Coordinates of all heavy atoms in Angstrom, one line a residue:
G218 N -20.9 7.6 34.9 CA -20.3 6.8 36.0 C -19.1 6.1 35.7 O -18.5 5.5 36.6
D219 N -18.6 6.1 34.4 CA -17.4 5.4 34.0 C -16.2 6.2 34.4 O -16.3 7.4 34.5 CB -17.4 5.1 32.5 CG -17.7 6.3 31.7 OD1 -18.3 7.2 32.2 OD2 -17.2 6.4 30.5
V220 N -15.1 5.6 34.5 CA -13.8 6.2 34.8 C -13.3 6.9 33.6 O -12.9 6.2 32.6 CB -12.8 5.3 35.5 CG1 -11.4 6.0 35.7 CG2 -13.3 4.7 36.8
V221 N -13.1 8.2 33.6 CA -12.7 9.0 32.4 C -11.2 9.5 32.6 O -10.6 10.0 31.6 CB -13.6 10.1 32.1 CG1 -15.0 9.6 31.7 CG2 -13.7 11.1 33.2
A222 N -10.7 9.5 33.8 CA -9.4 10.0 34.1 C -9.0 9.5 35.5 O -9.7 8.8 36.2 CB -9.4 11.5 34.1
A223 N -7.7 9.8 35.8 CA -7.2 9.5 37.1 C -6.4 10.6 37.6 O -5.7 11.3 36.8 CB -6.4 8.2 37.1
L224 N -6.4 10.8 38.9 CA -5.7 11.9 39.6 C -4.7 11.3 40.6 O -5.0 10.3 41.2 CB -6.8 12.7 40.4 CG -6.3 13.8 41.4 CD1 -5.6 15.0 40.7 CD2 -7.4 14.2 42.2
S225 N -3.5 11.9 40.7 CA -2.6 11.4 41.6 C -1.8 12.5 42.3 O -1.7 13.6 41.7 CB -1.6 10.4 40.9 OG -0.7 11.1 40.1
V226 N -1.2 12.2 43.4 CA -0.2 13.1 44.0 C 1.0 12.2 44.2 O 0.9 11.1 44.6 CB -0.7 13.7 45.4 CG1 -1.0 12.6 46.4 CG2 0.3 14.6 45.9
V227 N 2.2 12.8 43.9 CA 3.4 12.0 44.0 C 4.3 12.7 45.0 O 4.6 13.9 45.0 CB 4.2 12.0 42.7 CG1 5.4 11.1 42.8 CG2 3.3 11.4 41.6
V228 N 4.7 11.9 46.0 CA 5.4 12.5 47.2 C 6.7 11.7 47.4 O 6.9 10.6 46.9 CB 4.5 12.4 48.5 CG1 3.2 13.1 48.3 CG2 4.2 10.9 48.8
P229 N 7.6 12.2 48.3 CA 8.8 11.4 48.6 C 8.6 10.1 49.2 O 7.8 10.0 50.2 CB 9.6 12.4 49.6 CG 9.0 13.7 49.3 CD 7.6 13.5 49.0
A230 N 9.2 9.1 48.7 CA 8.9 7.7 49.2 C 9.3 7.5 50.6 O 8.6 6.9 51.4 CB 9.5 6.7 48.2
E231 N 10.5 7.9 51.0 CA 11.1 7.6 52.3 C 10.4 8.3 53.4 O 10.2 7.8 54.5 CB 12.5 7.9 52.3 CG 13.4 7.0 51.5 CD 14.9 7.2 51.7 OE1 15.2 8.1 52.5 OE2 15.7 6.4 51.1
A232 N 9.9 9.5 53.2 CA 9.4 10.4 54.2 C 7.9 10.5 54.3 O 7.3 11.3 55.0 CB 10.0 11.8 54.1
S233 N 7.2 9.7 53.5 CA 5.7 9.8 53.4 C 5.0 8.5 53.7 O 5.4 7.4 53.5 CB 5.4 10.3 52.0 OG 6.1 11.4 51.6
D234 N 3.8 8.7 54.3 CA 2.9 7.6 54.6 C 1.7 7.8 53.6 O 1.0 8.8 53.6 CB 2.4 7.7 56.0 CG 1.4 6.6 56.4 OD1 1.0 5.8 55.5 OD2 1.0 6.5 57.6
A235 N 1.5 6.8 52.7 CA 0.5 6.9 51.7 C -0.9 7.1 52.3 O -1.7 7.8 51.8 CB 0.5 5.6 50.8
R236 N -1.2 6.5 53.5 CA -2.5 6.6 54.1 C -2.9 8.0 54.4 O -4.1 8.4 54.4 CB -2.5 5.8 55.4 CG -2.4 4.3 55.1 CD -2.3 3.5 56.4 NE -1.0 3.8 57.0 CZ -0.6 3.2 58.2 NH1 -1.4 2.2 58.7 NH2 0.5 3.5 58.7
A237 N -1.9 8.9 54.7 CA -2.2 10.3 55.0 C -2.7 11.1 53.8 O -3.4 12.1 54.0 CB -0.9 11.0 55.6
Y238 N -2.4 10.6 52.6 CA -2.8 11.4 51.4 C -4.1 10.8 50.8 O -4.7 11.5 49.9 CB -1.7 11.3 50.4 CG -0.4 12.1 50.8 CD1 0.6 11.4 51.5 CD2 -0.3 13.4 50.5 CE1 1.7 12.2 51.9 CE2 0.8 14.2 50.9 CZ 1.8 13.5 51.6 OH 2.9 14.2 52.0
I239 N -4.5 9.6 51.1 CA -5.6 9.0 50.5 C -6.9 9.9 50.6 O -7.6 10.1 49.6 CB -5.9 7.6 51.0 CG1 -4.8 6.6 50.5 CG2 -7.2 7.1 50.6 CD1 -4.8 5.2 51.1
P240 N -7.2 10.4 51.8 CA -8.5 11.2 51.9 C -8.5 12.4 50.9 O -9.5 12.7 50.3 CB -8.5 11.6 53.3 CG -7.7 10.5 54.0 CD -6.6 10.2 53.1
V241 N -7.4 13.2 50.9 CA -7.4 14.4 50.1 C -7.4 14.1 48.6 O -8.0 14.8 47.8 CB -6.2 15.3 50.4 CG1 -6.4 15.9 51.8 CG2 -4.9 14.6 50.3
V242 N -6.7 13.0 48.2 CA -6.7 12.6 46.8 C -8.1 12.2 46.4 O -8.6 12.5 45.3 CB -5.7 11.5 46.5 CG1 -5.8 10.9 45.1 CG2 -4.3 12.0 46.7
R243 N -8.8 11.4 47.2 CA -10.1 10.9 46.9 C -11.1 12.1 46.8 O -11.9 12.2 46.0 CB -10.6 10.0 48.0 CG -10.2 8.5 47.8 CD -10.7 7.7 48.9 NE -10.6 6.3 48.7 CZ -10.6 5.4 49.6 NH1 -10.9 5.7 50.9 NH2 -10.5 4.1 49.3
A244 N -10.9 13.1 47.8 CA -11.8 14.2 47.8 C -11.7 15.1 46.5 O -12.6 15.5 45.9 CB -11.5 15.1 49.0
A245 N -10.4 15.3 46.1 CA -10.2 16.0 44.8 C -10.8 15.3 43.6 O -11.5 15.9 42.8 CB -8.7 16.2 44.6
A246 N -10.6 14.0 43.6 CA -11.2 13.2 42.5 C -12.7 13.2 42.5 O -13.3 13.3 41.4 CB -10.7 11.7 42.6
R247 N -13.3 13.2 43.7 CA -14.8 13.2 43.8 C -15.3 14.6 43.3 O -16.3 14.7 42.7 CB -15.2 13.0 45.2 CG -15.2 11.5 45.6 CD -16.1 11.3 46.8 NE -15.6 12.1 47.9 CZ -14.8 11.7 48.9 NH1 -14.3 10.5 48.8 NH2 -14.4 12.5 49.9
G248 N -14.5 15.7 43.7 CA -14.9 17.0 43.3 C -14.9 17.2 41.8 O -15.9 17.7 41.2
I249 N -13.9 16.7 41.1 CA -13.8 16.8 39.7 C -15.0 16.0 39.1 O -15.6 16.4 38.1 CB -12.5 16.3 39.1 CG1 -11.3 17.1 39.7 CG2 -12.5 16.3 37.6 CD1 -10.0 16.5 39.4
S250 N -15.2 14.8 39.6 CA -16.3 13.9 39.1 C -17.7 14.6 39.2 O -18.5 14.6 38.3 CB -16.3 12.6 39.9 OG -15.1 11.9 39.8
R251 N -17.9 15.3 40.3 CA -19.2 16.0 40.5 C -19.3 17.1 39.4 O -20.4 17.3 38.8 CB -19.3 16.7 41.9 CG -19.6 15.7 43.0 CD -20.1 16.4 44.2 NE -19.0 17.3 44.7 CZ -18.1 16.9 45.7 NH1 -18.2 15.6 46.1 NH2 -17.2 17.7 46.1
V252 N -18.3 17.9 39.1 CA -18.3 18.9 38.1 C -18.6 18.3 36.8 O -19.3 18.9 35.9 CB -17.0 19.7 38.1 CG1 -17.0 20.7 36.9 CG2 -16.8 20.5 39.4
L253 N -18.0 17.1 36.5 CA -18.2 16.5 35.2 C -19.6 15.9 35.1 O -20.0 15.4 34.0 CB -17.2 15.4 35.0 CG -15.7 15.9 34.8 CD1 -14.8 14.7 34.7 CD2 -15.6 16.8 33.6

Side-chain angles (χ1 to χ4, degrees):
D219 54 332
V220 173
V221 296
L224 167 73
S225 73
V226 61
V227 185
V228 300
E231 289 189 0
S233 305
D234 181 355
R236 291 172 295 184
Y238 292 92
I239 290 175
V241 291
V242 172
R243 278 179 167 165
R247 283 198 302 266
I249 300 170
S250 299
R251 282 196 297 270
V252 172
L253 293 177

